[in-house]
Structures are given as C-alpha cells and as structure tokens.
Amino acid sequence: MTTEPPAFGTIVDTNVLLDVFTDDPQWVDWSAEQLARAFDRGPVVINPIVYAELGVGFDRIEDLDAALPTRIEREALPWDAAFLAGRIFLEYRRRGGARRSPLPDFYIAAHAAITGRALLTRDRPRYADFLPTLHILMPD
C-alpha cells in the first residue's frame, strides 16, 4: 500500500455506501467523513459490482439511483481488471484463503489497481498483500 492517495480518484466499496445509506451506528461517521474526503480529492467512482451489491437493498432501480450521491461516477469494469482479479483470487486460494471468499471483492480491488485509484473500504481486504501498490483507505 502506498502512503499518499493517488491523484486519479477513489473507487468506493459497497460497505462504505451501505454505512451511509443505513446510518450504521458503528460506521456512519467514519464512512461519511471518508467519502467526503474522497470527493475533495477527486472523482469518486463505483462499478457495476458495487451497484449490484447495493441494489440488493432496494426494490426499484430509481430508488437506488436517487440514494446515490449525484457526484458518484459510474464506470465499466476494465477487462484488465477482470484478468487481475482472477489471478489474485487464484493466488489467495493457493495460500489457503477461504473458498467462500467472494471473487467480486477481488474485482473491485483490481479495478482500483488497474485504474490507479485508491480503494475506500472499511474492511481489511484479504487481497491487500497481492496488490502492494494499491492505496487502501480503511480504518486503522
């Protein structure tokens, strides 16, 4: 992980947005503050995987779209990120990682790594060791 956030913006993980949407008593303050800082630094992006994970909590697409901050950009997943996600997931499994670990988490991280963006998440990523140049914004 690098020490300074990259200048190309931030990809926001689902858990940060869910904290804000649900007013999570433990995490809403941290997540809202980090999201605001990300907007101050540059573009804030989600991809179709984050959108799909958020969609589980909404009955209608219009409600999800209304809940998302208008400044959040939507970006397709790069093919390079798909390949990288598969490779780091394979290495994770070879090192004994749990089979139940969802590949989408690796895809979100790979998207950030391939595009030179920071990843804003509140969970210690299982894949951090496999992407040493990825700047991860997470709680201490």
Side-chain angles (χ1 to χ4, degrees):
M1 289 177 279
T2 60
T3 56
E4 292 297 318
F8 305 112
T10 305
I11 292 185
V12 181
D13 198 2
T14 309
N15 55 39
V16 172
L17 293 169
L18 284 176
D19 292 343
V20 175
F21 289 174
T22 64
D23 199 24
D24 182 277
Q26 181 178 354
W27 290 106
V28 68
D29 292 338
W30 184 88
S31 292
E33 179 182 333
Q34 294 303 315
L35 190 57
R37 287 182 180 178
F39 279 123
D40 288 344
R41 283 192 300 273
V44 176
V45 176
I46 63 170
N47 61 37
I49 292 173
V50 172
Y51 192 83
E53 291 177 337
L54 291 172
V56 171
F58 293 85
D59 292 329
R60 298 175 338 117
I61 193 170
E62 294 85 2
D63 297 335
L64 172 54
D65 288 343
L68 284 169
T70 56
R71 293 171 48 193
I72 287 184
E73 298 177 16
R74 299 172 190 200
E75 185 172 282
L77 292 160
W79 288 102
D80 293 357
F83 183 80
L84 180 59
R87 299 305 307 164
I88 60 176
F89 182 74
L90 177 63
E91 185 59 30
Y92 169 80
R93 290 290 300 126
R94 285 182 177 156
R95 292 186 189 181
R99 185 174 298 277
R100 71 188 192 305
S101 179
L103 183 57
D105 290 347
F106 291 82
Y107 210 156
I108 293 166
H111 184 187
I114 289 292
T115 59
R117 294 190 178 104
L119 174 64
L120 174 57
T121 184
R122 69 165 158 78
D123 294 332
R124 166 89 173 77
R126 295 173 289 261
Y127 41 73
D129 296 339
F130 307 108
L131 296 168
T133 62
L134 176 62
H135 183 79
I136 303 171
L137 305 165
M138 62 184 181
D140 293 329

